[in-house]
Amino acid sequence: MSTTATTATGAPAQDVARPAERPVPARTPFPRVLRVELRKMFNTRSGFWLMMGIAILAALATIATVVFVPGEDLTYSAFASAVGLPMGVVLPIVAILAVSSEWSQRTALTTFTLVPSRGRVLVAKLLLTVAIGAVSMVLAAAIGALGNVGGSAIAGVDPTWDVGVEAWGRVLLAQVIGMLFGFMLGVVLRSSPAAIVGYFVCTLVLPGASAALGAVQSWWAEHGAWFDQSWATTRLFDEAAPSAQAWAQIGVSNALWILLPLAFGTRALLRAEVK
């Protein structure tokens, strides 16, 4: 289609063709966003070696349990704990890097250009963080079962299955909480070195300081679990099921340490300038 234009003197000019309207690209499907974010978690050097490190540590932990633990103490919980410990330490770092690497490696511009809705990308990362935490505990349970059967056969004793479904559910919840804590640090700090240092300070230094404070301060010894996220969450690993008060402390402390900072961090991330 063309239109007739006129010159300044009113004389008709040549027809000028209108540019064709550019089609609006379709919105990226959310399953595709999930697949891309999952690949980004593990196809980098850091993600690959973190997963390799977990596999190597799990194998070494299983072998060490068979070699050093007496035959009468070889139980399913011994193998599962040995395998789950490196996962619980390393996997939150994967959650940190899932968010912080976008900003540390300056790939956020590409990501948010292809998917302008930052909230959709963040939700995809959050869902994958929870899923990886759950799958890791399923793998720990399976490896622990294999180790228990093989180790008991080597030691010449009957396998002991001393971890029930309810206890495994609490361990799974603890692992997911750990992953969410790492995710929160990645969102709030948006710097891989700072978030990793913050993670080890919060998981290794602060619990010791809290325990020392509880030893000399009676009020903190009685009420500290309401504010100390690590103190409250470790109760999920107790043999007995947590009491109603313990569950309340787990909820309150994790709301203070995870949900509240995550809300402020998300608001800042959605408004941050991408460079």
Side-chain angles (χ1 to χ4, degrees):
M1 179 182 295
S2 62
T3 183
T4 302
T6 59
T7 63
T9 60
Q14 294 181 349
D15 290 347
V16 179
R18 292 180 179 177
E21 295 184 359
R22 298 179 62 182
V24 178
R27 193 181 192 186
T28 304
F30 189 69
R32 186 185 303 168
V33 178
L34 282 173
R35 290 195 302 269
V36 172
E37 292 301 326
L38 181 61
R39 287 201 304 268
K40 287 163 62 177
M41 282 185 172
F42 300 114
N43 68 354
T44 61
R45 290 185 203 172
S46 58
F48 172 79
W49 284 110
L50 280 173
M51 297 309 298
M52 286 296 295
I54 291 174
I56 293 171
L57 289 174
L60 292 176
T62 303
I63 296 172
T65 302
V66 175
V67 173
F68 296 108
V69 176
E72 61 273 13
D73 294 331
L74 287 176
T75 61
Y76 180 45
S77 61
F79 285 98
S81 299
V83 174
L85 180 60
M87 290 186 176
V89 173
V90 178
L91 280 176
I93 299 178
V94 176
I96 289 173
L97 296 177
V99 182
S100 62
S101 61
E102 294 278 14
W103 303 84
S104 297
Q105 300 176 10
R106 300 182 179 182
T107 59
L109 181 60
T110 302
T111 298
F112 297 138
T113 299
L114 296 175
V115 185
S117 177
R118 300 186 189 183
R120 298 178 73 222
V121 176
L122 198 61
V123 169
K125 293 178 185 291
L126 177 61
L127 293 177
L128 290 173
T129 295
V130 174
I132 290 171
V135 171
S136 67
M137 285 298 98
V138 173
L139 291 176
I143 296 173
L146 293 175
N148 190 31
V149 173
S152 299
I154 294 173
V157 297
D158 293 331
T160 301
W161 307 96
D162 56 347
V163 180
V165 175
E166 189 270 341
W168 260 117
R170 287 189 275 116
V171 174
L172 172 61
L173 177 60
Q175 176 63 35
V176 171
I177 289 174
M179 295 287 289
L180 290 176
F181 188 77
F183 182 83
M184 177 274 298
L185 288 174
V187 171
V188 171
L189 299 177
R190 299 198 299 277
S191 169
S192 298
I196 292 174
V197 171
Y199 166 70
F200 283 112
V201 168
C202 292
T203 56
L204 299 179
V205 178
L206 292 185
S210 177
L213 180 61
V216 298
Q217 223 285 335
S218 59
W219 186 91
W220 186 258
E222 184 178 354
H223 301 95
W226 292 98
F227 309 99
D228 188 333
Q229 185 259 356
S230 177
W231 182 353
T233 304
T234 51
R235 294 180 175 177
L236 294 171
F237 297 101
D238 294 342
E239 293 184 4
S243 63
Q245 178 176 325
W247 280 113
Q249 291 171 340
I250 292 169
V252 171
S253 62
N254 280 285
L256 292 175
W257 281 87
I258 296 179
L259 297 183
L260 191 61
L262 184 60
F264 285 101
T266 300
R267 184 174 182 272
L269 186 147
L270 295 179
R271 298 185 175 190
E273 180 183 0
V274 180
K275 298 179 180 179

